[in-house]
Amino acid sequence: MKKSLKIVAALAALMLLAVSCGVVSFTGRRQVLLFSDSEIAALSDESYAEFMSTAKISSDADASAMLKGVGDRMVSALESYMKSHDMESALSGLKWEFQLVESTEVNAFCMPNGKIVFYEGILRYADTPDYIAVVMGHEMAHAVAKHGNERMSQQAALNMAGAVVGEVIGAKKGAAAKNLFNIGFGIGSQAGVLLPYSRKHEYEADKIGMYIMDIAGYDVNAAPEFWEKMLDGKNPNTNDFLSTHPSDAKRIAALNEAIRTKPEL
């Protein structure tokens, strides 16, 4: 009886996925979002505070000012555009902030609540306002497209699906079969669902970031140029089947195509 109730509950949860849909701004792609903006923001605030408690803010005042200047300009343009196109809901829960931290790592990230961090190392490549805008736009796009919420929702959906099928198999064939299935399900989920979605998010963030650049008046041609700079001096990653990021060569090709087909914004 308890197993039947668990199966019914899990199936009900899966039915919820079908109605918990959103639409990504700029691309129109449908997505499943199971968490509220306030829940995502609270988790992001906590994680960001933990990171900043150990990070060292850069002492490079000029670089920090350039970073903030680009970020403020892009946010202002984006907010005006979204308001004029009745898409302000996509910015719910976002409280933009820009930080440059000391690190030689070539990296940047954006929390789902709009907190953006650049590592000093990436400025070796993002050494002009246009190139900073490429990285900034990409990171802003992850937040605007609610990729963090979608990623969490995908994992929740997989857990629910695993619970449903696991209960059925467990009820019929015992714990050994159930455990074996759970192991197989985990491998299949990682290779067949989660990582490909991550690559999809990266390509989508590149495209939306390029749109945000355009809205803010930056040169969109800087986007493929930036990734060409990143590609120089290292071996192209041509095998990205199990990579969470597209290879630089494929990214450049996708950006050039997005620029060629870019609509008037």
Side-chain angles (χ1 to χ4, degrees):
M1 184 66 177
K2 288 183 178 180
K3 288 183 177 179
S4 297
L5 290 174
K6 287 180 180 179
I7 293 172
V8 171
L11 285 172
L14 286 175
M15 291 176 63
L16 178 64
L17 301 179
V19 297
S20 301
C21 291
V23 177
V24 178
S25 299
F26 295 102
T27 68
R29 180 178 63 84
R30 297 190 68 81
Q31 59 185 170
V32 173
L33 303 174
L34 298 180
F35 303 92
S36 69
D37 292 332
S38 60
E39 288 172 324
I40 296 295
L43 291 168
S44 299
D45 287 342
E46 183 179 350
S47 182
Y48 180 70
E50 289 176 359
F51 173 83
M52 292 305 300
S53 69
T54 58
K56 187 174 182 180
I57 295 177
S58 174
S59 59
D60 189 334
D62 290 340
S64 295
M66 183 164 62
L67 188 72
K68 187 177 186 302
V70 172
D72 287 344
R73 173 174 161 180
M74 295 183 77
V75 166
S76 177
L78 176 64
E79 289 179 343
S80 295
Y81 179 87
M82 300 298 265
K83 183 176 182 179
S84 66
H85 288 75
D86 297 321
M87 296 193 297
E88 289 176 285
S89 61
L91 305 182
S92 175
L94 299 180
K95 297 179 180 178
W96 302 105
E97 184 177 313
F98 314 101
Q99 291 284 2
L100 179 64
V101 300
E102 287 189 5
S103 174
T104 59
E105 186 177 348
V106 180
N107 202 4
F109 67 85
C110 179
M111 301 297 296
N113 60 351
K115 302 296 191 291
I116 297 177
V117 174
F118 275 55
Y119 293 76
E120 287 178 333
I122 202 169
L123 297 184
R124 297 200 307 271
Y125 302 92
D127 53 359
T128 70
D130 280 327
Y131 290 152
I132 289 177
V134 174
V135 181
M136 188 73 74
H138 175 90
E139 299 305 335
M140 290 174 66
H142 279 306
V144 172
K146 301 184 185 297
H147 285 162
N149 191 335
E150 184 177 7
R151 181 77 173 181
M152 290 175 62
S153 299
Q154 289 167 2
Q155 185 60 60
L158 288 171
N159 291 344
M160 292 177 196
V164 172
V165 183
E167 286 291 344
V168 172
I169 291 179
K172 291 184 177 180
K173 298 184 178 180
K178 180 177 177 180
N179 290 337
L180 182 61
F181 171 80
N182 286 340
I183 293 172
F185 182 79
I187 294 173
S189 300
Q190 287 296 317
V193 179
L194 289 181
L195 294 181
Y197 266 109
S198 182
R199 291 200 298 274
K200 179 185 289 186
H201 287 171
E202 289 297 310
Y203 282 120
E204 188 169 61
D206 278 349
K207 179 181 285 189
I208 296 173
M210 184 263 291
Y211 291 159
I212 298 174
M213 285 181 68
D214 190 36
I215 292 167
Y218 289 101
D219 182 8
V220 296
N221 294 297
E225 289 174 4
F226 171 78
W227 287 106
E228 286 170 1
K229 285 184 66 177
M230 293 281 284
L231 188 58
D232 286 346
K234 67 176 184 178
N235 294 324
N237 176 18
T238 56
N239 181 15
D240 63 351
F241 180 69
L242 288 179
S243 170
T244 57
H245 289 71
S247 69
D248 291 339
K250 292 180 180 179
R251 178 172 241 154
I252 292 166
L255 278 167
N256 280 322
E257 177 63 15
I259 291 170
R260 188 184 69 80
T261 59
K262 182 181 68 66
E264 289 296 326
L265 298 172

